[in-house]
Amino acid sequence: MAVPTQSIIETRRVQMFPTLERAEIERVRRFGEARSYGAGEALAKVGEVGAGLSIILAGKVDITQHDEPGRRALIVTHGPGEFMGELAQLAGRPVLVDAYAQGPVEALIIRPDRLRALLVAEAELGERIMRALILRRVGLLETGAGGPVIVGRAENGDVLRLEGFLRRNGHPHQRLNPETDPEAKALIERFHVDPGQLPIVLCPGGQLLRNPGEVELARCIGLVGPIDPNRLYDVVVVGAGPAGLATAVYAGSEGLSVLVLDCRAFGGQAGASARIENYLGFPTGITGIALMARAYNQAQKFGVEMAIPDEVIGLQPASESDTGPFVLQLSNNERVSARSVVIASGARYRRPAVENLEAFESTSVHYWASPLEGKLCSGQEVALVGAGNSAGQAVVYLASQVAKVWLLVRGPSLEASMSRYLVDRIKGLSNVEVLMQAQISGLEGHDGMLEAIRWRQGTSASEVRRPIRHLFLFIGAEPNTNWLSGSGVALDAKGFVLTGADLTGSDRRPLETSRRGVFAIGDVRSSSIKRVAAAVGEGAQVVATLHAFLAAPDHAVIAQR
Ligand SMILES: Cc1cc2nc3c(=O)[nH]c(=O)nc-3n(C[C@H](O)[C@H](O)[C@H](O)COP(=O)(O)OP(=O)(O)OC[C@H]3O[C@@H](n4cnc5c(N)ncnc54)[C@H](O)[C@@H]3O)c2cc1C
């Protein structure tokens, strides 16, 4: 018998919609201002930036969502002691639901900056409110309500790109099939859209975008807005992966003004991990996106500003001074000023040029071989691509766990790139077959699960196909450091950022780059450990160094808050 799936509103209703005690409301009065609304008046409208979190003092407010274009469905009716708001109110972004007064309503309106102050000042109450805000967002993500509507076929590459972007940024959305959904057909007719212009996106504010880029979509739905060019931040963090978010949380909680920029989504590589099993404190594992969403919300609670997606393309000192401030140039021609900069732009694992690799990345493609992967592939055949020492170590380990390892090497010999002892060890393993001058030519599978791998060897025109469900890639990582060209930040031979004692003959602080006041953490840093926990540790560690730098007497720039 099929188990009926329950919505979060059914399973977590009490936590989603708590009622505050009279004494609690009195305590938080100082964070807000009372306002009156007439019957039928809007407290909030989808797509508009709302006034803030609204605690209902008297009267009733209907919260509705757009579950289909043009149709409103009631989510809940708030009465006295209940509050209206979700994560958008924490960041001051456009509202995802409508809120209308049933009759006369008195409400305490708490602006986003005051809400953040409340969450920090009122630990227990703050925890209850924060949990409700997060659960309400999860509820909206379940239905897709309040976000943009994408019209296009599920398998279309641009639809996948736009859906992936919204999902990674924790933003609700709906998708309509242009061939089968009457609402989709109505939109296509109304806006005179040719089939070649699909997908289209209808934003909550009513604007129509034709196959937009991520930045265009983000601007339309209010995910990212213009940055104040006159503001001088204590620290600007480039990259919202685990390293950047850790810096944001610690620097924000310690009173520094922080802006985090990321060109794609929060979470970085970790956000793409289907399950992180080795992060301290999560014995049953946690999906990368869940872990990173917590960090993202936590940083915003401490007043950190986020500009995502916004790409940094250059870093320069604002003046002749060696100690900053700095100017960061963005790809949209905006500029950001900072007293100090933390480079947390991470790295990308190199990927072979195989057409549909991305479709299998979360479950069947692995970038390292730990006991976890060993267990996952136990008794099966696996393929591994690479010829360096990390590839060699992975082959030796996997051979002890799996039925067979097919090692695909692009070049003519292993000796050129792998240590002798590993080459010898691999030769002695009966369940490893080394294929020289071999390259993957195709991947087959369904629903993200690999079912077969095809490859070609040498000049042979014939293709080999094997039923293999796990592919290991050890062909190196490339740092995201192109944007540092001309910045004076020293890089190692592979393009990773040099810091501290690795900079010969310098007196730099730990994690400080060759430019005073510019720091590097996480995967982008030369000789760092490429793990979530290591990135988070460096993100926390750098904050102490930032304080020391900002407090130094030779760095007497007054921050404008
Ligand atoms: C599929 C996968 C699964 C993984 N699973 C695990 C695991 O289970 N356990 C584990 O410990 N590690 C895991 N890792 C490794 C781990 O995710 C990384 O070590 C970690 O994410 C590094 O964090 P980071 O913040 O330094 O960099 P990243 O996570 O790479 O984040 C860097 C961020 O910077 C942004 N950025 C880059 N250039 C710019 C620019 N010019 N302007 C603005 N933004 C920019 C990027 O968009 C990105 O969001 C996994 C990696 C992958 C790819």
Side-chain angles (χ1 to χ4, degrees):
M1 197 179 81
V3 181
T5 49
Q6 287 185 296
S7 72
I8 192 158
I9 222 166
E10 290 164 314
T11 56
R12 308 284 290 270
R13 190 171 194 98
V14 176
Q15 289 174 312
M16 268 174 110
F17 304 116
T19 306
L20 307 190
E21 303 283 336
R22 191 184 294 265
E24 289 172 330
I25 295 176
E26 289 313 312
R27 271 210 325 270
V28 301
R29 260 186 199 276
R30 67 185 198 280
F31 292 99
E33 55 184 76
R35 250 190 235 175
S36 306
Y37 296 86
E41 201 178 329
L43 278 80
K45 281 191 197 164
V46 171
E48 294 181 3
V49 176
L53 185 105
S54 314
I55 301 178
I56 313 304
L57 303 172
K60 286 189 171 179
V61 175
D62 286 332
I63 308 297
T64 56
Q65 65 184 20
H66 292 214
D67 57 356
E68 278 172 20
R71 209 187 76 177
R72 287 217 307 247
L74 183 73
I75 304 175
V76 66
T77 298
H78 288 316
E82 296 179 327
F83 57 87
M84 180 247 141
E86 60 89 52
L87 285 177
Q89 274 64 56
L90 189 63
R93 299 218 171 91
V95 182
L96 300 173
V97 294
D98 289 319
Y100 283 95
Q102 267 191 13
V105 164
E106 292 291 316
L108 184 72
I109 310 295
I110 304 178
R111 293 193 323 258
D113 58 330
R114 299 299 291 150
L115 173 60
R116 295 192 289 264
L118 183 160
L119 294 178
V120 174
E122 288 280 336
E124 193 276 328
L125 180 58
E127 181 189 325
R128 261 188 289 149
I129 295 176
M130 188 72 184
R131 184 177 296 120
L133 303 187
I134 292 171
L135 290 174
R136 290 174 188 188
R137 174 58 65 96
V138 175
L140 291 172
L141 286 169
E142 266 182 8
T143 61
V149 178
I150 301 172
V151 178
R153 292 165 61 111
E155 62 280 8
N156 175 288
D158 287 313
V159 172
L160 289 171
R161 171 178 62 79
L162 294 169
E163 285 202 288
F165 169 74
L166 291 166
R167 196 171 41 247
R168 284 287 304 273
N169 281 291
H171 201 86
H173 65 279
Q174 294 171 47
R175 179 175 38 76
L176 300 178
N177 186 323
E179 276 132 40
T180 55
D181 280 309
E183 300 84 22
K185 289 182 181 163
L187 283 173
I188 290 170
E189 271 174 31
R190 191 167 116 215
F191 289 100
H192 308 292
V193 180
D194 293 334
Q197 294 177 313
L198 291 174
I200 52 168
V201 182
L202 183 66
C203 296
Q207 308 91 320
L208 185 94
L209 307 177
R210 289 162 206 259
N211 195 10
E214 286 90 323
V215 175
E216 191 186 355
L217 175 60
R219 299 238 157 204
C220 192
I221 60 178
L223 259 185
V224 69
I227 298 172
D228 180 356
N230 300 316
R231 175 120 191 235
L232 179 65
Y233 290 90
D234 287 331
V235 52
V236 168
V237 182
V238 182
L245 289 178
T247 298
V249 167
Y250 289 101
S253 68
E254 290 171 26
L256 299 178
S257 60
V258 187
L259 173 71
V260 179
L261 299 141
D262 197 294
C263 54
R264 286 192 65 220
F266 67 78
Q269 299 169 68
S273 175
R275 185 152 290 270
I276 297 176
E277 304 262 1
N278 58 356
Y279 190 69
L280 190 75
F282 291 89
T284 54
I286 181 166
T287 64
I289 192 74
L291 182 66
M292 291 297 105
R294 286 169 192 219
Y296 176 71
N297 294 330
Q298 194 175 13
Q300 291 194 92
K301 171 176 130 177
F302 289 121
V304 171
E305 288 181 38
M306 301 283 175
I308 304 175
D310 257 339
E311 184 185 7
V312 182
I313 55 169
L315 165 68
Q316 293 299 332
S319 65
E320 296 295 298
S321 163
D322 184 38
T323 57
F326 302 93
V327 173
L328 292 119
Q329 183 74 47
L330 310 190
S331 59
N332 61 8
N333 287 328
E334 284 185 295
R335 289 154 75 89
V336 178
S337 303
R339 298 171 73 199
S340 63
V341 175
V342 174
I343 301 169
S345 49
R348 304 177 299 276
Y349 286 96
R350 275 200 207 110
R351 290 154 167 87
V354 185
E355 206 185 315
N356 52 350
L357 181 72
E358 213 172 308
F360 304 106
E361 280 213 308
S362 56
T363 37
S364 298
V365 178
H366 311 282
Y367 293 91
W368 60 84
S370 72
L372 196 81
E373 285 76 25
K375 216 161 121 194
L376 196 68
C377 310
S378 168
Q380 303 178 43
E381 286 194 8
V382 302
L384 190 148
V385 182
N389 278 348
S390 56
Q393 285 160 3
V395 169
V396 171
Y397 170 68
L398 285 171
S400 68
Q401 308 291 312
V402 304
K404 176 154 186 165
V405 182
W406 295 90
L407 174 58
L408 277 67
V409 179
R410 198 172 54 171
S413 86
L414 270 183
E415 281 80 357
S417 49
M418 195 181 284
S419 298
R420 183 78 240 168
Y421 82 97
L422 281 169
V423 177
D424 290 344
R425 225 175 261 177
I426 288 172
K427 277 186 184 154
L429 293 167
S430 58
N431 64 340
V432 176
E433 190 155 337
V434 184
L435 305 172
M436 293 301 172
Q437 296 180 308
Q439 292 200 47
I440 293 184
S441 50
L443 301 175
E444 298 170 20
H446 288 102
D447 303 325
M449 295 290 295
L450 201 52
E451 286 162 9
I453 298 181
R454 302 194 308 272
W455 62 74
R456 286 183 208 282
Q457 209 181 348
T459 50
S460 157
S462 63
E463 221 179 20
V464 176
R465 180 183 182 278
R466 301 258 348 152
I468 292 177
R469 298 166 69 95
H470 292 281
L471 170 64
F472 290 81
L473 298 175
F474 282 83
I475 51 177
E478 277 165 11
N480 295 319
T481 47
N482 284 350
W483 64 278
L484 288 168
S485 120
S487 67
V489 170
L491 308 177
D492 71 12
K494 291 184 174 160
F496 289 85
V497 181
L498 290 163
T499 55
D502 287 348
L503 287 154
T504 41
S506 87
D507 59 348
R508 290 295 183 261
R509 300 173 169 98
L511 306 178
E512 194 171 27
T513 69
S514 56
R515 259 213 179 276
R516 228 176 260 287
V518 179
F519 303 83
I521 55 171
D523 276 17
V524 75
R525 196 175 68 77
S526 180
S527 69
S528 67
I529 307 293
K530 312 293 189 252
R531 289 285 183 275
V532 176
V536 168
E538 292 189 5
Q541 186 193 345
V542 78
V543 176
T545 321
L546 279 173
H547 280 301
F549 168 75
L550 293 170
D554 62 342
H555 185 256
V557 183
I558 309 299
Q560 299 157 12
R561 296 268 171 95

